[in-house]
Amino acid sequence: MQIIKDFFNYLADPRLFFLLSVAALVLLMWKREMFAGKAWGYGILAFLAVFLVFGAFDPNFLLIIAKPDNVPIVGLIFLIVFFTWYSLRQGVLNDRRIAAGLGPEEKEEADRVWVWPDLVYTELIALVLCSVVLIVWSIVLEAPLEQPASAAATPNPSKAPWYFLGLQEMLVYFDPWLAGVVLPSLIIVGLIAIPYIDTNEKGNGYYTIAERKAEIFLFLLGFVVLWCSLIVLGTFLRGPNWNFFGPFEYWDTHKLEALTNVDLSQYLWMRLLGTGMPEFWLVRESLGLLLVFAYTFVLPVVLAKTVFKGYYEKMGPARYYVGAFLFLMMMSLPAKMLLRWVFNLKYIVAIPEFFFNI
Amino acid sequence: MAVETKTVQPQEPAATRFWNWLTETQVWKSVFRHNRPDNDRNRVLVMLSNVFLHLHPVRIRKSGVKLRYTWCMGGLSFFLFLVLTFTGLLLMFYYRPTLEYAYTDIVGLREHVPLGIMREMHRWGAHAMVITVWLHMFRVFMTGSYKPPREFNWSVGVVMLVLTLLLSFTGYLLPWDQLAIWAITVGSNMARATPFLGYEGPGAALLAIGDVKLVHAGSDARFALLGGTFVGEGALLRFYVLHCVGLPLVIAVLMAVHFWRVRKDGGISGPM
Ligand code: HEM
């Protein structure tokens, strides 16, 4: 027992957790023909269910998943896993039909049916089922109410509502002005921009993977891995002081984690050149500023001439640059994570004088 | 002489006979302007003459009524929104948004209202709606339904997604317990780091006239959000008004636009 628990505690470490999620996504897209099989889909769900039941016997695990406000996230895990698999499966099935010259299944369902009774009855059933689920849920589980608000007693950990925990998790890697303001705004802008950037005419109104591989991979990376899985991480695996705790680990308030993170400028001036930090911030942070500038403004140009040449030609400059900018902003999170994990890098640019840390 | 043969009509079940009688009464006919939808003509009429059903088209792609294609998530989001509006209205009868009463009103709701599950339905319904809206977006993406001519409706959807999260966020504060104020404190602390507009945000120091700072703790983005420098009386009132009036109004209008556009863009998407 303990060995299994230790194993999962180990796997859940943010580094492994994140890298494994990305690896799983890559594998899923790559070997989708295999994973589309029903045995895989139901197998994975069954594994999750068994894990949940197995875990529920552990007091620490139970404490987290049975917290009333965390129950929806347990549901979310199952739903996201199921629907990711399901839409992939439908895509694969359609791709087979398309390859055989049949066209997507939706094409055969182009004829019209009467809304009354075909749709209204479906809606009625959905509505009744939804009501039943909600009512049972409400009877079984009481809404939480803690002690009255008190400005003096800060709970530890202090967590935002669960749907923002992905953003709170970003605070580990970025300062609030980025994690809490700029990046969320870019997520909204980026989502709105999707239909205007994506010029692929195929895959409009039916499931397919083969005809839109890149789009689907990017969306799944953003939505399932960076958004949903970080919420799961932030909810279940972050305890007091936002320290990491494995699913079967006790949330010890006194757990200490060594903070050994170093800024890029410290690396440069103290460790590499050994001259001590320059006085003037512009000189001190010149390397970091240069790197950030290059990442944001030079890299898209370089990519347009090399790896993304095809996209650049297909999309035209305006769409390409907006898209590349948004893409790089999304990738800045995994990039910063890797830099943190590999080099203990704290800030690439650190100008606390102006609250300008990146 | 021909013998009269008596044919025995099979008796219809009582429920059917009742239904047939009911739908012929004057009262019924005054409410529903058409006959029973058991032939094509009446199936059209039922959709056209009823203001609620009229959100739908009369006929629809076969793929569009399938769970396989829509996951029913848009419809459930809307249904949950209606449930939340109704249960929220009931909660408003019991709840006063002041430091003095907010918490005790919730306790009272729990202790004095028999069989009360309105608060539960409202809270779990809100969580569920966040999830259904995400899944709806997920399905729209996976079927490529945001592609022309539905770009704009996707954008409207994204705005509603943000509004759904904001509705949930503003509601989170109202019970005024530890969970509430600290979650909102963590969330709204972000606003003070807004570039230029938050007093701890990059660039805010530049907005000054001589020595006088324009952006300080008492004038920045967070102050505007909370109506104060911490989560207190002002924040409670602001969140209450936004939660019960402001945001629901905006999202309701956008839903009207959204549904209208689903139809004007050619109904549920499908391959050309
Ligand atoms: C408050 C939230 C929302 C409600 C109540 C809602 C409701 C609906 C409904 C009832 C439909 C009809 C088809 C279906 O059920 O799938 C629909 C379609 C659609 N929705 Fe939403 N929606 C919401 C949010 C969103 C979001 C967040 C997005 C995208 C980011 C979105 C984009 C679309 C698009 C593009 C369609 C057309 C799909 C097609 O033709 O296949 N909606 N919506």
Side-chain angles (χ1 to χ4, degrees):
Chain A
M1 271 309 149
Q2 199 50 44
I3 295 181
I4 305 179
K5 288 184 184 176
D6 286 345
F7 176 66
F8 280 111
N9 281 342
Y10 173 75
L11 278 190
D13 176 90
R15 283 164 272 196
L16 269 179
F17 180 87
F18 181 76
L19 293 177
L20 285 177
S21 321
V22 177
L25 178 62
V26 173
L27 197 68
L28 196 68
M29 290 288 289
W30 181 39
K31 291 283 173 205
R32 58 181 183 276
E33 278 287 339
M34 177 178 87
F35 287 115
K38 281 197 173 153
W40 275 99
Y42 296 132
I44 294 171
L45 286 179
F47 171 78
L48 277 177
V50 169
F51 179 75
L52 199 70
V53 174
F54 164 78
F57 287 102
D58 180 276
N60 295 315
F61 188 83
L62 187 65
L63 212 60
I64 319 171
I65 55 160
K67 205 166 162 260
D69 271 331
N70 289 351
V71 169
I73 309 162
V74 177
L76 180 73
I77 296 178
F78 281 90
L79 288 168
I80 291 287
V81 168
F82 173 75
F83 279 116
T84 306
W85 169 78
Y86 184 78
S87 47
L88 224 65
R89 172 182 161 80
Q90 297 303 330
V92 168
L93 294 182
N94 263 353
D95 288 342
R96 284 186 199 149
R97 290 177 54 101
I98 295 170
L102 290 169
E105 191 176 328
E106 290 85 351
K107 195 147 198 153
E108 293 199 345
E109 298 170 337
D111 32 321
R112 315 273 147 158
V113 294
W114 293 109
V115 165
W116 185 295
D118 287 36
L119 181 58
V120 261
Y121 276 63
T122 315
E123 284 176 342
L124 186 73
I125 295 167
L127 200 140
V128 170
L129 283 181
C130 178
S131 312
V132 170
V133 169
L134 192 59
I135 290 172
V136 170
W137 184 2
S138 300
I139 292 174
V140 174
L141 200 64
E142 198 176 41
L145 188 66
E146 297 190 351
Q147 294 300 308
S150 150
T154 318
N156 187 7
S158 276
K159 290 192 179 182
W162 62 268
Y163 34 82
F164 289 149
L165 287 188
L167 301 177
Q168 202 174 348
E169 176 66 18
M170 287 210 302
L171 283 173
V172 175
Y173 307 98
F174 288 113
D175 267 16
W177 74 278
L178 281 171
V181 185
V182 173
L183 291 176
S185 311
L186 285 177
I187 296 177
I188 300 171
V189 172
L191 280 174
I192 291 181
I194 287 178
Y196 303 97
I197 295 174
D198 176 7
T199 49
N200 182 359
E201 282 146 28
K202 290 191 185 150
N204 185 345
Y206 54 93
Y207 291 103
T208 168
I209 310 288
E211 292 179 359
R212 5 183 340 234
K213 273 194 276 262
E215 301 153 69
I216 289 186
F217 179 75
L218 278 181
F219 187 82
L220 290 179
L221 181 68
F223 177 63
V224 179
V225 176
L226 289 177
W227 185 255
C228 293
S229 88
L230 286 192
I231 287 178
V232 172
L233 177 68
T235 312
F236 296 129
L237 305 173
R238 291 292 186 180
N241 307 320
W242 208 254
N243 281 331
F244 162 75
F245 292 87
F248 303 109
E249 212 174 317
Y250 170 67
W251 281 17
D252 181 1
T253 349
H254 302 295
K255 177 171 179 173
L256 281 182
E257 271 187 17
L259 288 176
T260 51
N261 298 331
V262 182
D263 295 335
L264 180 66
S265 46
Q266 288 170 329
Y267 265 118
L268 176 69
W269 300 104
M270 321 260 283
R271 299 213 182 163
L272 196 66
L273 301 177
T275 56
M277 305 289 270
E279 285 284 303
F280 185 44
W281 58 268
L282 193 59
V283 181
R284 187 186 71 214
E285 301 300 330
S286 46
L287 177 63
L289 286 169
L290 208 69
L291 282 178
V292 172
F293 181 82
Y295 180 80
T296 324
F297 298 105
V298 183
L299 192 56
V301 184
V302 176
L303 290 174
K305 302 235 156 75
T306 54
V307 196
F308 290 165
K309 197 163 186 225
Y311 287 111
Y312 182 78
E313 279 160 9
K314 238 188 307 181
M315 296 162 71
R319 285 199 174 86
Y320 168 80
Y321 281 114
V322 174
F325 172 74
L326 290 167
F327 169 71
L328 288 174
M329 287 302 110
M330 178 167 116
M331 295 313 285
S332 69
L333 177 61
K336 188 81 192 279
M337 287 174 158
L338 285 177
L339 288 173
R340 174 70 55 83
W341 298 334
V342 180
F343 302 112
N344 285 325
L345 185 76
K346 188 163 183 212
Y347 292 126
I348 300 168
V349 175
I351 315 179
E353 294 93 321
F354 306 128
F355 304 109
F356 189 81
N357 302 319
I358 297 176
Chain B
M1 244 176 83
V3 180
E4 259 188 68
T5 48
K6 239 178 156 185
T7 45
V8 182
Q9 288 282 337
Q11 267 280 21
E12 284 186 315
T16 312
R17 270 183 292 145
F18 174 71
W19 171 246
N20 288 348
W21 168 79
L22 181 72
T23 49
E24 296 296 328
T25 55
Q26 184 189 0
V27 176
W28 183 278
K29 290 203 136 182
S30 72
V31 180
F32 302 101
R33 312 294 311 244
H34 49 76
N35 292 327
R36 291 188 292 276
D38 48 13
N39 60 35
D40 287 356
R41 187 186 131 77
N42 286 337
R43 284 188 189 121
V44 176
L45 285 177
V46 69
M47 300 311 294
L48 293 185
S49 62
N50 182 310
V51 66
F52 302 107
L53 293 176
H54 175 244
L55 277 175
H56 297 95
V58 172
R59 297 191 310 151
I60 184 175
R61 285 184 71 94
K62 197 164 164 194
S63 58
V65 300
K66 293 217 162 160
L67 276 183
R68 167 182 176 273
Y69 194 73
T70 64
W71 310 352
C72 210
M73 284 302 161
L76 285 184
S77 305
F78 181 52
F79 175 61
L80 284 168
F81 177 74
L82 296 180
V83 170
L84 290 168
T85 309
F86 178 70
T87 53
L89 190 90
L90 293 179
L91 290 175
M92 284 174 79
F93 292 146
Y94 287 92
Y95 175 86
R96 288 161 289 181
T98 61
L99 295 195
E100 202 182 343
Y101 294 121
Y103 182 78
T104 46
D105 281 349
I106 300 283
V107 175
L109 198 65
R110 173 182 273 202
E111 289 179 356
H112 304 312
V113 182
L115 300 179
I117 54 164
M118 284 309 126
R119 184 167 167 242
E120 276 70 21
M121 292 206 30
H122 198 72
R123 195 180 186 97
W124 306 140
H127 284 338
M129 180 171 166
V130 170
I131 295 176
T132 55
V133 173
W134 287 358
L135 289 176
H136 173 56
M137 176 181 79
F138 191 16
R139 129 28 220 172
V140 171
F141 187 89
M142 294 309 276
T143 55
S145 304
Y146 59 86
K147 300 191 176 202
R150 297 183 178 77
E151 310 99 304
F152 177 70
N153 220 13
W154 167 273
S155 312
V156 172
V158 175
V159 176
M160 290 199 295
L161 173 97
V162 175
L163 288 173
T164 308
L165 293 179
L166 288 179
L167 269 165
S168 206
F169 185 68
T170 47
Y172 215 85
L173 180 65
L174 304 184
W176 205 249
D177 62 345
Q178 281 289 72
L179 201 61
I181 66 155
W182 289 102
I184 303 307
T185 303
V186 170
S188 58
N189 272 348
M190 297 300 118
R192 69 176 168 215
T194 314
F196 298 107
L197 299 178
Y199 79 100
E200 285 183 0
L206 299 175
L207 299 178
I209 304 174
D211 275 347
V212 186
K213 279 192 179 173
L214 293 182
V215 179
H216 51 80
S219 73
D220 70 340
R222 182 164 175 274
F223 189 90
L225 186 68
L226 297 180
T229 52
F230 56 90
V231 179
E233 182 102 65
L236 183 57
L237 187 60
R238 265 172 211 218
F239 277 44
Y240 176 77
V241 172
L242 285 176
H243 184 77
C244 300
V245 186
L247 297 171
L249 269 181
V250 179
I251 203 170
V253 170
L254 286 180
M255 279 184 191
V257 175
H258 196 62
F259 300 155
W260 174 258
R261 284 301 293 248
V262 170
R263 293 203 45 194
K264 292 293 143 183
D265 294 339
I268 303 290
S269 55
M272 293 300 141

